[in-house]
């Protein structure tokens, strides 16, 4: 994906817009974009509930685009109207509000690009809705918090109930584009532009038109027919059902409004309010076109207000439920890492009360022989409103994790985000397990599994701690979708994608080595240097830790063997008191063995693994830096191209060939635009990286502190246990007579 | 290799660690005391021996000097025995002379009924040297600070080994000096008194081959006897079984204990790298983390020292006790072998007498031989019984003392370390 952006020609509107989106995401933080992605799991469950045939894989595959499509529109639009500009400063400080602005602007912007169709469609859709619901709702319209909801709900349900095909954007979008001629210009562009880029891009862009264009028709068609059903489902008093259903709609919304609305859902039992809100949403939606800028400011405060209160109550209730005891295989200290996360995350998300905690448990071998794989139970506990439950679990296999990482990298790396690296694939370890018998008590393979489990857990929590990443549709699908994910084929080292990736990587490395960028930004210069130093030092430290772990393990085993030997000696010893004392000695050393062993695990999981994670994270940071260099290269390239074109134009002018001048003029203009765009892009990624790094530094310092404190505590506990051991032994030694 | 070692020796002049003050040093090997104590215990239970007080013959090693491969021990003697010319004197002895002395005792038929104190092990600094070599090779890969710390550790280790070697030699002499029979031995007197070099050369090839041959002979004889000779005395039969088993078990334990202490030492050493690695990381991270990390790094540095002490104390109190009783046990085994040999001789004499009587020829000579053998055997059995009992008392006392000390030291160190960590955590929290 990243590569696709290197060649200048690819620099199209869509590209730009895409970046804009991402940037917006970044700023508006968790609340905003995530919502959209929920669609998938939601829909899935719904469909399942409805007994639709959709439960089968195909829908799963076809749906993912949907959510991402959900993402698109607002972002897209926001980028289209940079004049709204707000995306930068205001939202930065207050994510919630930022979300608000975002939403508003989206709605507001909707019209400009798609003047004739979308608004009209929107209104068309909404009118019936209002009719249905607004009896109770209308009064509160002004509050407006979750306005967008209903119509999206409609969209949502429409695909399920009426026409499954909707979900496959490819089919739908073309016709719709033709329908909504003007409006889809952008989307059409996107469509046309996207093919050259990678498949993922394709997906994204494809969904865009779908959302933009397909929805309206769907609504048009089904609005009236579907809606009652939907509404009824909302109104059903049965809380669970309604919550579920209510949650479902929210997901489909692209906007914070939805997120806001989702909070109540989480609280459960507020269906009436909910539905009313939904209705409000519709109303609001239809209104927005009329006065785009105003709502932004108007709506924000109310949005913020209702948002926070619901969140607060959730935390206390949620926390007691937390039995972070999901790691049966490991008495190891991995959970602390997860526990530490929420606080770190607070720093990040700036929305104090949110937490998400993911634990991986029950590694299970599925299948036999080389085709077998390990599956893990992924349990999530959260109070973040856009998740439909507070506590649930799904089953994922290892390659799913890698797939998730791949997707996240594809989507977010280019916008300067540091993406926590997934655990490495280990062909040897895996093969061993695959070939091993089911009940292999082989310690090395159980060690391997436990290590992998722990690192997956750390990986998930690191990703979840990032407000943007955790709200990514793919991430949410990953943790929420209660079904098998489509197989991530690209993760296998032997697949064609693997080979391709290898080539790419080689290319990148060459590029990294050959291209030296004149750093104009002192911050980056220093940071790059610091990162390099840090990398080297961490590696050194990691080696020292590995040494420690190895020695401590050795100590543990040698202590155990001494214990055994001392037991033999005690049985041989003829002097009874001495024999007893030796026996005690054997027991004491046996216990110290256990202590050393636990301590070695602590050495490993607290120190060594965390440090290793950071070495990999530093790698991710380097990737991001490199991404910036690539953007810089693109910019430089555009500049040289522009210079060339200008030259050509000057030549043409000198030669007096007016026809060519015109063409050259066009080209110059085109490249000027490109230069501008790439420069903007470069500035943006630089800015984004700075912000990311700030976060990274904070989290890293905190992580390190946590790590060391935890480790010292573990050491202290060990020593205290050793004290106990010898205290019990001492009288025995004294008793020798 | 040799050249390398040469330069390395020059480079680290500490290898010529010279004078070791045995008395002040707290790392002092405690075996001597133990043995002394045990010997005292044993003696008090023995009424038939001459009444002795401690001052009759006191031997210690007042000084030791390490020169390259050789260690020179200054053996200091204080005595009231009339045989000696002076009441107090010192001589310089080398390891080989100790071995010579041991062999004289070992070969003396008169002492066959006694457990001959095991000879001190050869001074062996190879392990230290090897480590030093490794350290020198790896110098480039670590920081100066790290290197110095590692060097210090090695120096300490070397010093400890050195002291232990000296102590072992001292223990050997002390045990001889306190033994009512051994102390009067002529060779012992020469060893203590003769001011010149005893000109004990290391065995030449022929002697070595002979020695080897003899020992093979002996061990086959031992095995044969063990298999064929039926002991008349249940006590010895039992003791033999016990000692065999015990020797094997304690040897194994020693091996394991050594491994354990070594691993412990490695753990302690690996804290060095951790500590310096952390403090460097602190420098890179800058103010946000530097202070914090430096505290942790300091703690690791201190913890390393404690951990190192744990290792060396385990070595002193546990491994060395075990090790000594491996050797003492083997000396006791030798005693049993000698007795069994004696028994075999006695029975042979009986048979000879029977045969002589049957033939009615040389009866008197045979009778005399038989009587001699009988007396000899009985005397030896009585001695051996005594010796074995004293071996047991000695062993139990030594184990008791050292195990108590071990537990106390372990407790002390663990408490110190726990406190250290606690303080560190507190300091970190306050930040």
């Amino acid at each position: 994906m990243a590569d696709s952006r290197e060649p200048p020609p690819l620099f199209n509107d869509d590209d730009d817009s895409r970046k804009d989106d991402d940037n917006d995401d970044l700023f508006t933080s968790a609340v905003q974009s995530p919502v959209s992605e929920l669609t998938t799991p939601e829909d899935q469950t719904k469909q399942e509930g409805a007994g639709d045939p959709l439960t089968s894989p195909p829908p799963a595959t076809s749906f993912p685009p949907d959510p991402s499509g959900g993402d698109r529109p607002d972002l897209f639009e926001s980028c289209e109207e940079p004049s709204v500009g707000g995306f930068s400063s205001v939202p930065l400080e207050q994510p919630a509000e930022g979300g608000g602005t975002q939403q508003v602007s989206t709605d507001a912007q909707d019209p400009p690009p798609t003047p004739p169709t979308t608004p009209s469609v929107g209104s068309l859709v909404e009118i019936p809705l209002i009719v249905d619901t607004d009896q109770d709702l209308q009064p509160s319209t002004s509050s407006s918090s979750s306005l967008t909801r209903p119509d999206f709900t409609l969209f949502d349900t429409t695909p399920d109930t009426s026409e499954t095909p909707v979900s496959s954007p490819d089919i739908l979008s073309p016709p719709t584009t033709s329908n909504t001629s003007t409006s889809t210009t952008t989307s059409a562009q996107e469509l046309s532009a996207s093919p050259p880029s990678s498949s993922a891009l394709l997906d994204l862009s494809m969904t865009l038109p779908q959302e933009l264009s397909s929805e309206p028709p769907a609504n048009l068609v089904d609005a009236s027919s579907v809606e009652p059903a939907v509404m009824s489902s909302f109104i059903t008093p049965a809380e669970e059902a309604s919550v579920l259903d209510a949650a479902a709609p929210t997901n489909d919304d692209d906007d914070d409004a939805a997120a806001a609305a989702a909070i109540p859902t989480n609280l459960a039992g507020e269906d009436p309010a909910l539905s009313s809100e939904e209705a409000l949403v519709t109303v609001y939606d239809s209104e927005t076109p009329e006065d785009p800028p105003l709502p932004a400011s108007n709506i924000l405060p109310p949005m913020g207000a209702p948002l926070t209160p619901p969140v607060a109550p959730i935390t206390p209730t949620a926390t007691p439920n937390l039995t972070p005891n999901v790691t049966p295989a490991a008495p190891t200290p991995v959970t602390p890492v997860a526990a530490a996360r929420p606080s770190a995350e607070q720093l990040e998300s700036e929305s104090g009360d949110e937490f998400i905690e993911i634990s991986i448990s029950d590694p299970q071998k599925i299948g036999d022989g080389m085709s077998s794989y390990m599956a893990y139970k992924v349990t999530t506990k959260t109070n973040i409103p856009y998740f439909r439950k507070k506590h649930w679990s799904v089953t994922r296999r290892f390659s799913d994790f890698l797939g998730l990482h791949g997707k996240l990298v594809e989507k977010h790396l280019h916008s300067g985000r540091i993406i926590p690296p997934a655990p490495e694939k280990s062909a040897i370890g895996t093969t061993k397990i695959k070939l091993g018998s089911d009940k292999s008590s082989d310690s090395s393979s159980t060690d391997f599994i436990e290590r992998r489990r722990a690192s997956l857990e750390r990986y998930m929590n690191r990703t979840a701690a990032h407000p943007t990443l955790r709200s990514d549709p793919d991430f949410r699908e990953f943790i929420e979708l209660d079904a098998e994910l489509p197989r991530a084929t690209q993760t296998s080292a032997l697949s064609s994608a693997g080979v391709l990736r290898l080539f790419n990587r080689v290319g990148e490395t060459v590029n990294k080595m050959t291209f030296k960028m004149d750093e104009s930004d002192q911050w980056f210069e220093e940071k790059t240097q610091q990162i390099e130093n840090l990398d080297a030092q961490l590696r050194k430290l990691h080696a020292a830790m590995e040494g420690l772990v190895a020695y401590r393990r050795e100590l543990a085993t040698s202590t155990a063997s001494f214990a055994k030997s001392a037991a033999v000696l005690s049985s041989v010893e003829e002097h009874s008191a001495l024999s007893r004392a030796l026996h005690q000695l054997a027991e004491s050393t046996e216990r110290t063995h256990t202590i050393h062993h636990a301590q070695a695990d602590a050495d490993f999981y607290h120190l060594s693994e965390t440090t290793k994670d950071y070495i990999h994270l530093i790698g991710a940071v380097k990737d991001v830096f490199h991404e910036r260099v690539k953007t810089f290269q693109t910019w430089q390239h555009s500049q040289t191209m522009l210079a060339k074109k200008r030259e050509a134009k000057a030549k043409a002018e000198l030669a007096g060939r007016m026809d060519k001048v015109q063409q050259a003029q066009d080209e110059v203009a085109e490249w000027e635009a490109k230069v501008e765009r790439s420069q903007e892009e470069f500035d943006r990624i630089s800015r984004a990286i700075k912000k990311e790094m700030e976060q990274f530094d904070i989290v890293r310092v905190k992580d390190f502190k946590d790590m060391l404190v935890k480790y010292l505590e573990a050491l202290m506990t060990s020593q205290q246990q050793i004290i106990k051991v010898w205290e019990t032994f001492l009288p025995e030694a004294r008793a020798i007579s | 290799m040799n050249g390398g070692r040469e330069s390395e020796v020059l480079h680290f002049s500490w290898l010529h660690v010279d004078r070791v003050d045995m008395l002040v040093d707290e790392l002092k090997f405690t075996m001597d005391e133990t043995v002394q104590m045990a010997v005292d215990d044993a003696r008090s239970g023995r009424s038939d021996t001459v009444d002795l007080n401690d001052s009759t013959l006191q031997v210690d090693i007042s000084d030791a000097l390490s020169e390259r491969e050789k260690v020179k021990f200054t053996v200091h003697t204080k005595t009231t025995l009339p045989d000696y010319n002076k009441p107090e004197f010192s001589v310089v002895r080398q390891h080989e002379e100790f071995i010579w002395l041991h062999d004289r005792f070992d070969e003396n038929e008169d002492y066959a009924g006694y457990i001959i104190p095991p000879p001190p092990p050869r001074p062996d600094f190879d392990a230290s040297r090897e480590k030093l070599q490794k350290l020198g090779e790896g110098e480039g890969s670590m920081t100066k600070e790290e290197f110095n710390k590692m060097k210090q550790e090695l120096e300490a280790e070397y010093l400890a080994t050195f002291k232990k070697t000296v102590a072992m030699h001292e223990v050997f002499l002390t045990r001889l000096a306190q033994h009512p029979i051994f102390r009067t031995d002529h060779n012992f007197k020469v060893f203590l008194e003769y001011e010149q070099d005893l000109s004990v050369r290391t065995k030449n090839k022929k002697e070595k081959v002979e020695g080897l041959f003899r020992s093979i002979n002996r061990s086959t004889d031992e095995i044969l006897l063990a298999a064929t000779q039926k002991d008349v005395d249940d006590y010895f039969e039992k003791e033999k079984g016990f000692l065999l088993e015990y020797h094997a078990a304690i040897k194994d334990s020693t091996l394991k204990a050594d491994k354990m202490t070594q691993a412990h030492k490695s753990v302690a050493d690996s804290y060095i790298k951790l500590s310096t690695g952390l403090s460097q990381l602190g420098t890179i991270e800058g103010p946000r983390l530097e202070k914090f990390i430096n505290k942790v790094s300091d703690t690791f540095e201190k913890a390393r020292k404690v951990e190192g002490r744990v290792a060396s104390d385990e070595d002193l109190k546990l491994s060395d006790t075990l090790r000594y009783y491996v050797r003492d046990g083997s000396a006791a085994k030798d005693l049993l072998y000698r007795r069994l040999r004696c028994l075999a001789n006695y029975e042979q004499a009986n048979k000879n007498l029977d045969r002589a009587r049957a033939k009615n020829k040389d009866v008197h000579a045979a009778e005399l031989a038989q009587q001699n053998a009988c007396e000899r055997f009985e005397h030896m059995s009585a001695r051996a019984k005594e010796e074995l009992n004293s071996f047991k008392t000695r062993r139990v006392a030594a184990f008791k003392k050292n195990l108590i000390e071990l537990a106390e030291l372990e407790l002390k160190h663990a408490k110190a370390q726990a406190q250290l960590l606690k303080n560190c955590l507190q300091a970190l929290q306050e930040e």
Side-chain angles (χ1 to χ4, degrees), chain A residues 527 530 533-534 537-538 540-541 544-545 547-549 551-556 558-566 568-569 571-575 578 581-582 585 589 596 599 603 607 694 697-698 700-702 704-713 715-717 719-720 722-724 726-727 729-730 733-737, chain B residues 141-143 146 238-239 242 245-247 249-250 252-254 256-257 259-264 266-267 270-271 273-278 280-281 284-286 288-289 292-293 296 299-300 303 307 314 318 322 392 395-396 399-400 403-408 410-411 413-415 417-419 421-425 428-429 431:
Chain A
K527 219 60 186 168
Q530 199 210 351
N533 292 344
L534 205 58
Q537 189 54 37
L538 282 177
K540 221 176 128 187
L541 197 59
M545 286 163 176
L548 175 66
V549 172
Y551 285 131
R552 182 106 60 193
R553 291 238 158 95
E554 196 187 319
L555 174 61
S558 59
T559 309
S561 66
F562 174 73
K564 276 194 198 92
S565 180
V568 173
L569 185 64
S571 70
V572 171
E573 175 60 57
E574 52 179 10
H575 189 277
L578 181 54
L582 285 174
L585 181 70
T589 38
H596 287 319
Q599 184 58 49
D603 290 342
L607 284 185
E694 209 175 289
D697 284 344
I698 292 171
R700 188 183 67 244
V701 166
K702 191 174 166 5
F704 259 87
K705 283 185 176 175
D706 283 352
M707 165 184 102
L708 290 171
V709 166
K710 291 251 155 52
Y711 180 66
L712 290 175
E713 277 166 0
L715 267 185
M716 193 170 74
T717 324
Q719 290 302 326
Q720 279 159 350
I722 288 176
I723 292 176
K724 276 198 193 107
W726 291 107
E727 266 169 358
F729 174 72
L730 194 52
R734 292 221 162 100
I736 302 174
S737 53
Chain B
S141 70
M142 51 182 108
T143 60
E146 240 171 55
K238 213 186 89 210
E239 277 297 303
F242 161 71
E245 242 185 300
Y246 187 77
H247 188 255
I250 201 169
D252 183 59
S253 294
T254 313
K256 301 281 162 63
K259 269 198 189 138
M260 184 172 76
T261 49
Q262 260 164 32
H264 217 131
S266 304
V267 168
S270 61
Y271 277 1
K273 279 193 181 167
L274 196 61
S275 158
T276 49
L278 274 177
Q280 280 167 348
L281 182 71
I284 292 171
E285 283 281 3
R288 271 170 314 188
L289 213 49
F292 185 94
I293 271 190
V296 178
T299 307
F300 275 126
E307 216 37 67
E314 274 176 2
L318 187 64
L322 291 168
K392 191 167 159 186
R395 190 179 71 231
V396 172
F399 269 100
K400 178 180 180 177
L403 285 181
I404 289 173
E405 281 175 5
L406 172 73
E408 280 170 351
E410 291 267 11
L411 269 178
H413 295 322
K415 276 177 183 162
Q417 206 172 337
Q419 190 57 44
L421 293 164
K422 203 172 154 194
N423 291 344
C424 176
L425 282 168
L428 292 180
Q429 251 167 23
E431 204 167 278

Side-chain angles (χ1 to χ4, degrees), chain B residues 86-99:
Chain B
K86 284 184 270 178
E88 196 172 344
F89 44 85
S90 293
V91 288
V92 174
R93 293 283 173 260
Q94 288 186 24
H95 173 72
E96 285 69 28
E97 293 165 316
F98 284 79
I99 299 301

Side-chain angles (χ1 to χ4, degrees), chain A residues 460-534:
Chain A
M460 286 308 286
N461 278 300
R462 264 185 229 293
T463 310
H466 196 297
T468 314
L469 296 182
R470 81 162 159 247
S471 58
D472 182 275
D474 280 317
F475 180 75
R476 288 165 54 182
E477 178 186 66
F478 182 89
I479 60 171
E480 277 198 317
L481 180 61
D482 194 15
E484 269 188 38
L485 286 179
R487 191 76 216 280
T489 42
Q490 282 96 345
T491 57
S492 164
L494 296 173
S495 69
S496 58
V499 174
L500 207 68
R501 208 168 41 224
L502 191 71
F503 273 120
N504 277 343
R505 207 172 296 157
V506 170
E508 295 241 322
T509 325
V510 171
N511 188 0
K512 264 184 213 169
M513 283 192 302
T514 50
F515 185 77
K516 275 273 174 288
M517 171 181 174
D518 305 329
E519 190 56 77
S520 52
D521 191 331
Q522 206 198 344
W523 185 89
F524 272 101
E525 205 174 335
E526 281 168 11
K527 219 60 186 168
T528 312
Q529 192 51 43
Q530 199 210 351
I531 286 294
E532 286 296 333
N533 292 344
L534 205 58

Side-chain angles (χ1 to χ4, degrees), chain A residues 19 49 71 131 186 192 233 296 315 449 471 474-475 482 486 507 650:
Chain A
K19 271 181 199 165
D71 244 348
V131 174
T186 40
S192 57
S233 74
T315 13
I449 292 171
S471 58
D474 280 317
F475 180 75
D482 194 15

Side-chain angles (χ1 to χ4, degrees), chain B residues 111-137:
Chain B
Y111 302 140
Y114 297 97
I115 295 179
I116 313 292
R122 217 180 76 75
D124 182 11
F125 305 121
D126 285 355
S128 286
R129 288 222 173 83
E130 209 174 288
K131 275 194 188 170
L132 186 72
Q133 180 116 5
K134 253 194 217 155
L135 182 70
E137 280 162 9

